[in-house]
PDB file of all heavy atoms in Angstrom:
ATOM      1  N   THR A   1     133.519 147.854 108.989  1.00 81.00           N
ATOM      2  CA  THR A   1     132.793 148.121 110.230  1.00 81.00           C
ATOM      3  C   THR A   1     131.349 147.682 110.055  1.00 81.00           C
ATOM      4  O   THR A   1     130.818 147.652 108.945  1.00 81.00           O
ATOM      5  CB  THR A   1     132.819 149.614 110.599  1.00 81.00           C
ATOM      6  OG1 THR A   1     132.275 150.371 109.511  1.00 81.00           O
ATOM      7  CG2 THR A   1     134.229 150.073 110.908  1.00 81.00           C
ATOM      8  N   ARG A   2     130.720 147.329 111.190  1.00 89.00           N
ATOM      9  CA  ARG A   2     129.315 146.932 111.179  1.00 89.00           C
ATOM     10  C   ARG A   2     128.544 147.853 112.105  1.00 89.00           C
ATOM     11  O   ARG A   2     128.969 148.124 113.240  1.00 89.00           O
ATOM     12  CB  ARG A   2     129.175 145.476 111.637  1.00 89.00           C
ATOM     13  CG  ARG A   2     129.808 144.454 110.704  1.00 89.00           C
ATOM     14  CD  ARG A   2     129.509 143.039 111.175  1.00 89.00           C
ATOM     15  NE  ARG A   2     130.198 142.732 112.421  1.00 89.00           N
ATOM     16  CZ  ARG A   2     131.355 142.077 112.491  1.00 89.00           C
ATOM     17  NH1 ARG A   2     131.954 141.686 111.365  1.00 89.00           N
ATOM     18  NH2 ARG A   2     131.918 141.824 113.645  1.00 89.00           N
ATOM     19  N   SER A   3     127.400 148.310 111.636  1.00 93.00           N
ATOM     20  CA  SER A   3     126.578 149.206 112.452  1.00 93.00           C
ATOM     21  C   SER A   3     125.911 148.437 113.581  1.00 93.00           C
ATOM     22  O   SER A   3     125.472 147.298 113.415  1.00 93.00           O
ATOM     23  CB  SER A   3     125.501 149.883 111.592  1.00 93.00           C
ATOM     24  OG  SER A   3     126.084 150.738 110.642  1.00 93.00           O
ATOM     25  N   VAL A   4     125.824 149.073 114.731  1.00 95.00           N
ATOM     26  CA  VAL A   4     125.117 148.525 115.884  1.00 95.00           C
ATOM     27  C   VAL A   4     123.720 149.127 115.899  1.00 95.00           C
ATOM     28  O   VAL A   4     123.548 150.334 115.755  1.00 95.00           O
ATOM     29  CB  VAL A   4     125.867 148.854 117.194  1.00 95.00           C
ATOM     30  CG1 VAL A   4     125.091 148.339 118.399  1.00 95.00           C
ATOM     31  CG2 VAL A   4     127.276 148.276 117.161  1.00 95.00           C
ATOM     32  N   VAL A   5     122.722 148.275 116.088  1.00 95.00           N
ATOM     33  CA  VAL A   5     121.331 148.735 116.119  1.00 95.00           C
ATOM     34  C   VAL A   5     120.936 149.005 117.565  1.00 95.00           C
ATOM     35  O   VAL A   5     121.242 148.224 118.470  1.00 95.00           O
ATOM     36  CB  VAL A   5     120.399 147.685 115.488  1.00 95.00           C
ATOM     37  CG1 VAL A   5     118.955 148.162 115.516  1.00 95.00           C
ATOM     38  CG2 VAL A   5     120.833 147.377 114.061  1.00 95.00           C
ATOM     39  N   GLY A   6     120.263 150.118 117.789  1.00 96.00           N
ATOM     40  CA  GLY A   6     119.866 150.443 119.146  1.00 96.00           C
ATOM     41  C   GLY A   6     118.822 151.539 119.195  1.00 96.00           C
ATOM     42  O   GLY A   6     118.323 152.000 118.162  1.00 96.00           O
ATOM     43  N   PHE A   7     118.483 151.939 120.415  1.00 96.00           N
ATOM     44  CA  PHE A   7     117.460 152.957 120.668  1.00 96.00           C
ATOM     45  C   PHE A   7     118.140 154.226 121.158  1.00 96.00           C
ATOM     46  O   PHE A   7     119.022 154.173 122.016  1.00 96.00           O
ATOM     47  CB  PHE A   7     116.475 152.449 121.725  1.00 96.00           C
ATOM     48  CG  PHE A   7     115.499 153.478 122.194  1.00 96.00           C
ATOM     49  CD1 PHE A   7     114.429 153.851 121.405  1.00 96.00           C
ATOM     50  CD2 PHE A   7     115.658 154.079 123.435  1.00 96.00           C
ATOM     51  CE1 PHE A   7     113.520 154.806 121.838  1.00 96.00           C
ATOM     52  CE2 PHE A   7     114.755 155.035 123.880  1.00 96.00           C
ATOM     53  CZ  PHE A   7     113.680 155.395 123.080  1.00 96.00           C
ATOM     54  N   ILE A   8     117.728 155.373 120.630  1.00 97.00           N
ATOM     55  CA  ILE A   8     118.314 156.659 121.015  1.00 97.00           C
ATOM     56  C   ILE A   8     117.301 157.466 121.800  1.00 97.00           C
ATOM     57  O   ILE A   8     116.156 157.644 121.368  1.00 97.00           O
ATOM     58  CB  ILE A   8     118.778 157.442 119.772  1.00 97.00           C
ATOM     59  CG1 ILE A   8     119.874 156.671 119.038  1.00 97.00           C
ATOM     60  CG2 ILE A   8     119.304 158.824 120.175  1.00 97.00           C
ATOM     61  CD1 ILE A   8     120.275 157.280 117.707  1.00 97.00           C
ATOM     62  N   ASP A   9     117.729 157.958 122.959  1.00 95.00           N
ATOM     63  CA  ASP A   9     116.874 158.786 123.811  1.00 95.00           C
ATOM     64  C   ASP A   9     117.581 160.101 124.065  1.00 95.00           C
ATOM     65  O   ASP A   9     118.812 160.145 124.180  1.00 95.00           O
ATOM     66  CB  ASP A   9     116.581 158.062 125.134  1.00 95.00           C
ATOM     67  CG  ASP A   9     115.702 158.879 126.052  1.00 95.00           C
ATOM     68  OD1 ASP A   9     114.592 159.245 125.637  1.00 95.00           O
ATOM     69  OD2 ASP A   9     116.129 159.165 127.190  1.00 95.00           O
ATOM     70  N   TYR A  10     116.814 161.180 124.177  1.00 94.00           N
ATOM     71  CA  TYR A  10     117.396 162.496 124.462  1.00 94.00           C
ATOM     72  C   TYR A  10     116.685 163.107 125.650  1.00 94.00           C
ATOM     73  O   TYR A  10     115.454 163.185 125.682  1.00 94.00           O
ATOM     74  CB  TYR A  10     117.289 163.417 123.246  1.00 94.00           C
ATOM     75  CG  TYR A  10     117.834 164.814 123.518  1.00 94.00           C
ATOM     76  CD1 TYR A  10     119.201 165.029 123.599  1.00 94.00           C
ATOM     77  CD2 TYR A  10     116.982 165.889 123.736  1.00 94.00           C
ATOM     78  CE1 TYR A  10     119.710 166.295 123.869  1.00 94.00           C
ATOM     79  CE2 TYR A  10     117.483 167.152 124.009  1.00 94.00           C
ATOM     80  CZ  TYR A  10     118.841 167.347 124.071  1.00 94.00           C
ATOM     81  OH  TYR A  10     119.344 168.598 124.352  1.00 94.00           O
ATOM     82  N   SER A  11     117.454 163.558 126.654  1.00 88.00           N
ATOM     83  CA  SER A  11     116.896 164.177 127.847  1.00 88.00           C
ATOM     84  C   SER A  11     117.891 165.189 128.392  1.00 88.00           C
ATOM     85  O   SER A  11     119.090 164.901 128.490  1.00 88.00           O
ATOM     86  CB  SER A  11     116.594 163.109 128.913  1.00 88.00           C
ATOM     87  OG  SER A  11     116.089 163.694 130.094  1.00 88.00           O
ATOM     88  N   GLY A  12     117.374 166.377 128.770  1.00 83.00           N
ATOM     89  CA  GLY A  12     118.274 167.422 129.238  1.00 83.00           C
ATOM     90  C   GLY A  12     119.189 167.849 128.110  1.00 83.00           C
ATOM     91  O   GLY A  12     118.728 168.264 127.048  1.00 83.00           O
ATOM     92  N   PHE A  13     120.499 167.724 128.305  1.00 92.00           N
ATOM     93  CA  PHE A  13     121.478 168.018 127.260  1.00 92.00           C
ATOM     94  C   PHE A  13     122.135 166.737 126.740  1.00 92.00           C
ATOM     95  O   PHE A  13     123.091 166.800 125.987  1.00 92.00           O
ATOM     96  CB  PHE A  13     122.582 168.942 127.803  1.00 92.00           C
ATOM     97  CG  PHE A  13     122.133 170.344 128.108  1.00 92.00           C
ATOM     98  CD1 PHE A  13     123.041 171.268 128.613  1.00 92.00           C
ATOM     99  CD2 PHE A  13     120.832 170.761 127.896  1.00 92.00           C
ATOM    100  CE1 PHE A  13     122.659 172.573 128.903  1.00 92.00           C
ATOM    101  CE2 PHE A  13     120.427 172.059 128.185  1.00 92.00           C
ATOM    102  CZ  PHE A  13     121.343 172.963 128.681  1.00 92.00           C
ATOM    103  N   THR A  14     121.622 165.570 127.143  1.00 95.00           N
ATOM    104  CA  THR A  14     122.320 164.306 126.894  1.00 95.00           C
ATOM    105  C   THR A  14     121.520 163.380 125.992  1.00 95.00           C
ATOM    106  O   THR A  14     120.325 163.158 126.205  1.00 95.00           O
ATOM    107  CB  THR A  14     122.617 163.586 128.221  1.00 95.00           C
ATOM    108  OG1 THR A  14     123.453 164.428 129.030  1.00 95.00           O
ATOM    109  CG2 THR A  14     123.331 162.260 127.985  1.00 95.00           C
ATOM    110  N   ALA A  15     122.196 162.837 124.966  1.00 96.00           N
ATOM    111  CA  ALA A  15     121.626 161.808 124.099  1.00 96.00           C
ATOM    112  C   ALA A  15     122.259 160.467 124.469  1.00 96.00           C
ATOM    113  O   ALA A  15     123.478 160.377 124.655  1.00 96.00           O
ATOM    114  CB  ALA A  15     121.893 162.125 122.629  1.00 96.00           C
ATOM    115  N   THR A  16     121.424 159.425 124.584  1.00 97.00           N
ATOM    116  CA  THR A  16     121.899 158.112 125.008  1.00 97.00           C
ATOM    117  C   THR A  16     121.510 157.054 123.985  1.00 97.00           C
ATOM    118  O   THR A  16     120.359 156.979 123.560  1.00 97.00           O
ATOM    119  CB  THR A  16     121.306 157.731 126.378  1.00 97.00           C
ATOM    120  OG1 THR A  16     121.666 158.733 127.344  1.00 97.00           O
ATOM    121  CG2 THR A  16     121.837 156.385 126.845  1.00 97.00           C
ATOM    122  N   PHE A  17     122.489 156.249 123.592  1.00 97.00           N
ATOM    123  CA  PHE A  17     122.283 155.138 122.665  1.00 97.00           C
ATOM    124  C   PHE A  17     122.292 153.847 123.479  1.00 97.00           C
ATOM    125  O   PHE A  17     123.281 153.536 124.154  1.00 97.00           O
ATOM    126  CB  PHE A  17     123.388 155.114 121.616  1.00 97.00           C
ATOM    127  CG  PHE A  17     123.266 154.024 120.589  1.00 97.00           C
ATOM    128  CD1 PHE A  17     122.710 154.281 119.346  1.00 97.00           C
ATOM    129  CD2 PHE A  17     123.712 152.732 120.864  1.00 97.00           C
ATOM    130  CE1 PHE A  17     122.596 153.273 118.393  1.00 97.00           C
ATOM    131  CE2 PHE A  17     123.606 151.723 119.920  1.00 97.00           C
ATOM    132  CZ  PHE A  17     123.037 151.999 118.679  1.00 97.00           C
ATOM    133  N   THR A  18     121.195 153.093 123.426  1.00 97.00           N
ATOM    134  CA  THR A  18     121.099 151.814 124.125  1.00 97.00           C
ATOM    135  C   THR A  18     121.019 150.701 123.096  1.00 97.00           C
ATOM    136  O   THR A  18     120.015 150.602 122.372  1.00 97.00           O
ATOM    137  CB  THR A  18     119.863 151.766 125.033  1.00 97.00           C
ATOM    138  OG1 THR A  18     119.903 152.865 125.953  1.00 97.00           O
ATOM    139  CG2 THR A  18     119.808 150.463 125.817  1.00 97.00           C
ATOM    140  N   PRO A  19     122.040 149.858 122.972  1.00 96.00           N
ATOM    141  CA  PRO A  19     121.994 148.766 121.988  1.00 96.00           C
ATOM    142  C   PRO A  19     120.837 147.818 122.263  1.00 96.00           C
ATOM    143  O   PRO A  19     120.465 147.586 123.420  1.00 96.00           O
ATOM    144  CB  PRO A  19     123.346 148.071 122.187  1.00 96.00           C
ATOM    145  CG  PRO A  19     124.221 149.105 122.833  1.00 96.00           C
ATOM    146  CD  PRO A  19     123.311 149.913 123.702  1.00 96.00           C
ATOM    147  N   PHE A  20     120.244 147.276 121.205  1.00 96.00           N
ATOM    148  CA  PHE A  20     119.149 146.330 121.358  1.00 96.00           C
ATOM    149  C   PHE A  20     119.625 145.023 121.985  1.00 96.00           C
ATOM    150  O   PHE A  20     118.833 144.294 122.582  1.00 96.00           O
ATOM    151  CB  PHE A  20     118.484 146.051 120.012  1.00 96.00           C
ATOM    152  CG  PHE A  20     117.625 147.188 119.526  1.00 96.00           C
ATOM    153  CD1 PHE A  20     117.348 147.329 118.179  1.00 96.00           C
ATOM    154  CD2 PHE A  20     117.085 148.114 120.409  1.00 96.00           C
ATOM    155  CE1 PHE A  20     116.548 148.363 117.718  1.00 96.00           C
ATOM    156  CE2 PHE A  20     116.287 149.152 119.962  1.00 96.00           C
ATOM    157  CZ  PHE A  20     116.017 149.277 118.615  1.00 96.00           C
ATOM    158  N   SER A  21     120.898 144.685 121.813  1.00 95.00           N
ATOM    159  CA  SER A  21     121.470 143.485 122.424  1.00 95.00           C
ATOM    160  C   SER A  21     122.866 143.824 122.942  1.00 95.00           C
ATOM    161  O   SER A  21     123.434 144.852 122.595  1.00 95.00           O
ATOM    162  CB  SER A  21     121.534 142.328 121.412  1.00 95.00           C
ATOM    163  OG  SER A  21     122.311 142.678 120.285  1.00 95.00           O
ATOM    164  N   SER A  22     123.408 142.946 123.777  1.00 95.00           N
ATOM    165  CA  SER A  22     124.719 143.197 124.373  1.00 95.00           C
ATOM    166  C   SER A  22     125.786 143.366 123.299  1.00 95.00           C
ATOM    167  O   SER A  22     125.729 142.735 122.234  1.00 95.00           O
ATOM    168  CB  SER A  22     125.110 142.038 125.297  1.00 95.00           C
ATOM    169  OG  SER A  22     124.197 141.916 126.364  1.00 95.00           O
ATOM    170  N   LEU A  23     126.769 144.208 123.581  1.00 95.00           N
ATOM    171  CA  LEU A  23     127.907 144.349 122.684  1.00 95.00           C
ATOM    172  C   LEU A  23     128.757 143.089 122.741  1.00 95.00           C
ATOM    173  O   LEU A  23     128.666 142.299 123.693  1.00 95.00           O
ATOM    174  CB  LEU A  23     128.743 145.566 123.099  1.00 95.00           C
ATOM    175  CG  LEU A  23     128.012 146.919 123.133  1.00 95.00           C
ATOM    176  CD1 LEU A  23     128.964 148.014 123.609  1.00 95.00           C
ATOM    177  CD2 LEU A  23     127.423 147.266 121.770  1.00 95.00           C
ATOM    178  N   ASN A  24     129.585 142.889 121.758  1.00 94.00           N
ATOM    179  CA  ASN A  24     130.492 141.738 121.747  1.00 94.00           C
ATOM    180  C   ASN A  24     131.665 141.981 122.681  1.00 94.00           C
ATOM    181  O   ASN A  24     132.131 143.115 122.844  1.00 94.00           O
ATOM    182  CB  ASN A  24     131.008 141.466 120.332  1.00 94.00           C
ATOM    183  CG  ASN A  24     129.918 140.955 119.411  1.00 94.00           C
ATOM    184  OD1 ASN A  24     129.012 140.251 119.850  1.00 94.00           O
ATOM    185  ND2 ASN A  24     130.003 141.310 118.141  1.00 94.00           N
ATOM    186  N   ALA A  25     132.145 140.914 123.289  1.00 95.00           N
ATOM    187  CA  ALA A  25     133.293 141.019 124.192  1.00 95.00           C
ATOM    188  C   ALA A  25     134.572 141.258 123.400  1.00 95.00           C
ATOM    189  O   ALA A  25     134.700 140.825 122.248  1.00 95.00           O
ATOM    190  CB  ALA A  25     133.422 139.748 125.024  1.00 95.00           C
ATOM    191  N   ASP A  26     135.502 141.969 124.022  1.00 94.00           N
ATOM    192  CA  ASP A  26     136.828 142.217 123.453  1.00 94.00           C
ATOM    193  C   ASP A  26     136.725 142.750 122.023  1.00 94.00           C
ATOM    194  O   ASP A  26     137.354 142.249 121.107  1.00 94.00           O
ATOM    195  CB  ASP A  26     137.668 140.947 123.502  1.00 94.00           C
ATOM    196  CG  ASP A  26     139.154 141.242 123.256  1.00 94.00           C
ATOM    197  OD1 ASP A  26     139.563 142.395 123.493  1.00 94.00           O
ATOM    198  OD2 ASP A  26     139.875 140.325 122.829  1.00 94.00           O
ATOM    199  N   GLU A  27     135.903 143.770 121.844  1.00 94.00           N
ATOM    200  CA  GLU A  27     135.677 144.352 120.529  1.00 94.00           C
ATOM    201  C   GLU A  27     135.830 145.869 120.617  1.00 94.00           C
ATOM    202  O   GLU A  27     135.525 146.491 121.633  1.00 94.00           O
ATOM    203  CB  GLU A  27     134.271 144.013 120.040  1.00 94.00           C
ATOM    204  CG  GLU A  27     134.055 144.232 118.563  1.00 94.00           C
ATOM    205  CD  GLU A  27     134.777 143.192 117.725  1.00 94.00           C
ATOM    206  OE1 GLU A  27     134.329 142.030 117.694  1.00 94.00           O
ATOM    207  OE2 GLU A  27     135.805 143.551 117.110  1.00 94.00           O
ATOM    208  N   ARG A  28     136.334 146.444 119.543  1.00 94.00           N
ATOM    209  CA  ARG A  28     136.481 147.888 119.486  1.00 94.00           C
ATOM    210  C   ARG A  28     135.256 148.499 118.815  1.00 94.00           C
ATOM    211  O   ARG A  28     134.776 147.990 117.790  1.00 94.00           O
ATOM    212  CB  ARG A  28     137.739 148.262 118.702  1.00 94.00           C
ATOM    213  CG  ARG A  28     138.105 149.742 118.795  1.00 94.00           C
ATOM    214  CD  ARG A  28     139.352 150.039 118.000  1.00 94.00           C
ATOM    215  NE  ARG A  28     139.747 151.440 118.101  1.00 94.00           N
ATOM    216  CZ  ARG A  28     140.553 152.044 117.245  1.00 94.00           C
ATOM    217  NH1 ARG A  28     141.055 151.372 116.231  1.00 94.00           N
ATOM    218  NH2 ARG A  28     140.866 153.306 117.397  1.00 94.00           N
ATOM    219  N   TYR A  29     134.752 149.587 119.405  1.00 96.00           N
ATOM    220  CA  TYR A  29     133.565 150.269 118.879  1.00 96.00           C
ATOM    221  C   TYR A  29     133.899 151.729 118.598  1.00 96.00           C
ATOM    222  O   TYR A  29     134.622 152.376 119.362  1.00 96.00           O
ATOM    223  CB  TYR A  29     132.409 150.175 119.868  1.00 96.00           C
ATOM    224  CG  TYR A  29     131.816 148.786 119.927  1.00 96.00           C
ATOM    225  CD1 TYR A  29     132.360 147.808 120.769  1.00 96.00           C
ATOM    226  CD2 TYR A  29     130.742 148.436 119.120  1.00 96.00           C
ATOM    227  CE1 TYR A  29     131.841 146.530 120.803  1.00 96.00           C
ATOM    228  CE2 TYR A  29     130.220 147.145 119.147  1.00 96.00           C
ATOM    229  CZ  TYR A  29     130.767 146.201 119.992  1.00 96.00           C
ATOM    230  OH  TYR A  29     130.250 144.925 120.015  1.00 96.00           O
ATOM    231  N   PHE A  30     133.370 152.202 117.485  1.00 96.00           N
ATOM    232  CA  PHE A  30     133.557 153.588 117.065  1.00 96.00           C
ATOM    233  C   PHE A  30     132.202 154.298 117.121  1.00 96.00           C
ATOM    234  O   PHE A  30     131.191 153.739 116.694  1.00 96.00           O
ATOM    235  CB  PHE A  30     134.104 153.668 115.643  1.00 96.00           C
ATOM    236  CG  PHE A  30     135.416 152.963 115.433  1.00 96.00           C
ATOM    237  CD1 PHE A  30     135.459 151.612 115.117  1.00 96.00           C
ATOM    238  CD2 PHE A  30     136.608 153.660 115.562  1.00 96.00           C
ATOM    239  CE1 PHE A  30     136.668 150.962 114.925  1.00 96.00           C
ATOM    240  CE2 PHE A  30     137.819 153.019 115.364  1.00 96.00           C
ATOM    241  CZ  PHE A  30     137.852 151.668 115.045  1.00 96.00           C
ATOM    242  N   ILE A  31     132.188 155.522 117.605  1.00 97.00           N
ATOM    243  CA  ILE A  31     130.966 156.315 117.660  1.00 97.00           C
ATOM    244  C   ILE A  31     131.179 157.604 116.892  1.00 97.00           C
ATOM    245  O   ILE A  31     132.231 158.240 117.011  1.00 97.00           O
ATOM    246  CB  ILE A  31     130.561 156.643 119.107  1.00 97.00           C
ATOM    247  CG1 ILE A  31     130.436 155.361 119.942  1.00 97.00           C
ATOM    248  CG2 ILE A  31     129.226 157.396 119.123  1.00 97.00           C
ATOM    249  CD1 ILE A  31     131.675 154.972 120.670  1.00 97.00           C
ATOM    250  N   VAL A  32     130.182 157.961 116.090  1.00 96.00           N
ATOM    251  CA  VAL A  32     130.221 159.203 115.328  1.00 96.00           C
ATOM    252  C   VAL A  32     128.931 159.971 115.580  1.00 96.00           C
ATOM    253  O   VAL A  32     127.831 159.429 115.407  1.00 96.00           O
ATOM    254  CB  VAL A  32     130.372 158.951 113.818  1.00 96.00           C
ATOM    255  CG1 VAL A  32     130.352 160.280 113.062  1.00 96.00           C
ATOM    256  CG2 VAL A  32     131.642 158.183 113.519  1.00 96.00           C
ATOM    257  N   VAL A  33     129.068 161.220 116.029  1.00 97.00           N
ATOM    258  CA  VAL A  33     127.946 162.156 116.064  1.00 97.00           C
ATOM    259  C   VAL A  33     128.221 163.152 114.942  1.00 97.00           C
ATOM    260  O   VAL A  33     129.224 163.867 114.969  1.00 97.00           O
ATOM    261  CB  VAL A  33     127.831 162.872 117.416  1.00 97.00           C
ATOM    262  CG1 VAL A  33     126.682 163.873 117.385  1.00 97.00           C
ATOM    263  CG2 VAL A  33     127.626 161.858 118.535  1.00 97.00           C
ATOM    264  N   THR A  34     127.365 163.159 113.943  1.00 97.00           N
ATOM    265  CA  THR A  34     127.653 163.947 112.746  1.00 97.00           C
ATOM    266  C   THR A  34     127.370 165.432 112.966  1.00 97.00           C
ATOM    267  O   THR A  34     126.633 165.823 113.870  1.00 97.00           O
ATOM    268  CB  THR A  34     126.835 163.452 111.540  1.00 97.00           C
ATOM    269  OG1 THR A  34     125.459 163.795 111.730  1.00 97.00           O
ATOM    270  CG2 THR A  34     126.978 161.944 111.382  1.00 97.00           C
ATOM    271  N   GLY A  35     127.957 166.241 112.100  1.00 96.00           N
ATOM    272  CA  GLY A  35     127.822 167.684 112.212  1.00 96.00           C
ATOM    273  C   GLY A  35     126.433 168.200 111.923  1.00 96.00           C
ATOM    274  O   GLY A  35     126.167 169.394 112.105  1.00 96.00           O
ATOM    275  N   GLU A  36     125.497 167.320 111.493  1.00 96.00           N
ATOM    276  CA  GLU A  36     124.134 167.755 111.186  1.00 96.00           C
ATOM    277  C   GLU A  36     123.263 167.922 112.427  1.00 96.00           C
ATOM    278  O   GLU A  36     122.158 168.468 112.343  1.00 96.00           O
ATOM    279  CB  GLU A  36     123.458 166.775 110.222  1.00 96.00           C
ATOM    280  CG  GLU A  36     123.924 166.885 108.785  1.00 96.00           C
ATOM    281  CD  GLU A  36     125.241 166.171 108.533  1.00 96.00           C
ATOM    282  OE1 GLU A  36     125.685 165.392 109.418  1.00 96.00           O
ATOM    283  OE2 GLU A  36     125.834 166.386 107.469  1.00 96.00           O
ATOM    284  N   VAL A  37     123.707 167.417 113.601  1.00 97.00           N
ATOM    285  CA  VAL A  37     122.897 167.646 114.803  1.00 97.00           C
ATOM    286  C   VAL A  37     122.830 169.146 115.065  1.00 97.00           C
ATOM    287  O   VAL A  37     123.786 169.878 114.809  1.00 97.00           O
ATOM    288  CB  VAL A  37     123.469 166.898 116.025  1.00 97.00           C
ATOM    289  CG1 VAL A  37     123.417 165.399 115.819  1.00 97.00           C
ATOM    290  CG2 VAL A  37     124.885 167.343 116.361  1.00 97.00           C
ATOM    291  N   GLU A  38     121.690 169.610 115.574  1.00 95.00           N
ATOM    292  CA  GLU A  38     121.509 171.049 115.737  1.00 95.00           C
ATOM    293  C   GLU A  38     120.880 171.391 117.079  1.00 95.00           C
ATOM    294  O   GLU A  38     120.189 170.571 117.698  1.00 95.00           O
ATOM    295  CB  GLU A  38     120.658 171.602 114.610  1.00 95.00           C
ATOM    296  CG  GLU A  38     119.257 171.029 114.523  1.00 95.00           C
ATOM    297  CD  GLU A  38     118.462 171.582 113.364  1.00 95.00           C
ATOM    298  OE1 GLU A  38     119.042 171.771 112.276  1.00 95.00           O
ATOM    299  OE2 GLU A  38     117.247 171.805 113.546  1.00 95.00           O
ATOM    300  N   ASP A  39     121.137 172.609 117.539  1.00 92.00           N
ATOM    301  CA  ASP A  39     120.554 173.067 118.795  1.00 92.00           C
ATOM    302  C   ASP A  39     119.125 173.570 118.567  1.00 92.00           C
ATOM    303  O   ASP A  39     118.601 173.538 117.457  1.00 92.00           O
ATOM    304  CB  ASP A  39     121.439 174.135 119.449  1.00 92.00           C
ATOM    305  CG  ASP A  39     121.569 175.401 118.616  1.00 92.00           C
ATOM    306  OD1 ASP A  39     120.740 175.630 117.724  1.00 92.00           O
ATOM    307  OD2 ASP A  39     122.515 176.175 118.883  1.00 92.00           O
ATOM    308  N   ASP A  40     118.501 174.045 119.658  1.00 86.00           N
ATOM    309  CA  ASP A  40     117.114 174.503 119.583  1.00 86.00           C
ATOM    310  C   ASP A  40     116.932 175.676 118.640  1.00 86.00           C
ATOM    311  O   ASP A  40     115.838 175.908 118.120  1.00 86.00           O
ATOM    312  CB  ASP A  40     116.621 174.903 120.976  1.00 86.00           C
ATOM    313  CG  ASP A  40     116.067 173.711 121.743  1.00 86.00           C
ATOM    314  OD1 ASP A  40     115.818 172.675 121.110  1.00 86.00           O
ATOM    315  OD2 ASP A  40     115.888 173.817 122.971  1.00 86.00           O
ATOM    316  N   ALA A  41     118.001 176.448 118.424  1.00 83.00           N
ATOM    317  CA  ALA A  41     117.912 177.616 117.543  1.00 83.00           C
ATOM    318  C   ALA A  41     118.205 177.259 116.090  1.00 83.00           C
ATOM    319  O   ALA A  41     118.172 178.128 115.226  1.00 83.00           O
ATOM    320  CB  ALA A  41     118.870 178.707 118.011  1.00 83.00           C
ATOM    321  N   GLY A  42     118.503 175.991 115.809  1.00 88.00           N
ATOM    322  CA  GLY A  42     118.757 175.554 114.437  1.00 88.00           C
ATOM    323  C   GLY A  42     120.207 175.611 114.020  1.00 88.00           C
ATOM    324  O   GLY A  42     120.523 175.390 112.840  1.00 88.00           O
ATOM    325  N   ASN A  43     121.122 175.882 114.964  1.00 92.00           N
ATOM    326  CA  ASN A  43     122.551 175.910 114.624  1.00 92.00           C
ATOM    327  C   ASN A  43     123.109 174.493 114.608  1.00 92.00           C
ATOM    328  O   ASN A  43     122.986 173.761 115.596  1.00 92.00           O
ATOM    329  CB  ASN A  43     123.330 176.740 115.653  1.00 92.00           C
ATOM    330  CG  ASN A  43     122.831 178.158 115.748  1.00 92.00           C
ATOM    331  OD1 ASN A  43     122.797 178.881 114.764  1.00 92.00           O
ATOM    332  ND2 ASN A  43     122.425 178.571 116.942  1.00 92.00           N
ATOM    333  N   GLU A  44     123.727 174.090 113.501  1.00 95.00           N
ATOM    334  CA  GLU A  44     124.334 172.774 113.407  1.00 95.00           C
ATOM    335  C   GLU A  44     125.712 172.745 114.069  1.00 95.00           C
ATOM    336  O   GLU A  44     126.375 173.774 114.190  1.00 95.00           O
ATOM    337  CB  GLU A  44     124.461 172.352 111.944  1.00 95.00           C
ATOM    338  CG  GLU A  44     123.133 172.120 111.256  1.00 95.00           C
ATOM    339  CD  GLU A  44     123.297 171.537 109.873  1.00 95.00           C
ATOM    340  OE1 GLU A  44     124.441 171.516 109.361  1.00 95.00           O
ATOM    341  OE2 GLU A  44     122.290 171.085 109.299  1.00 95.00           O
TER     342      GLU A  44
END
């Protein structure tokens, strides 16, 4: 697998990943949000 480079923004309850360039056509992409993300109270 190859990592996609992009910009991450967070607003409200939503995090958005915007790739720096267009994705490749007819390609499968995998997304992982790891268990280390935490809420405002520090709960992972």
Side-chain angles (χ1 to χ4, degrees):
T1 57
R2 295 185 291 263
S3 295
V4 177
V5 180
F7 172 76
I8 298 173
D9 180 57
Y10 178 74
S11 178
F13 291 180
T14 300
T16 302
F17 181 98
T18 304
F20 286 157
S21 59
S22 298
L23 302 178
N24 291 327
D26 195 23
E27 196 72 73
R28 190 180 182 199
Y29 287 86
F30 302 87
I31 305 92
V32 178
V33 178
T34 71
E36 284 80 12
V37 296
E38 61 182 39
D39 63 19
D40 273 345
N43 302 303
E44 293 187 348

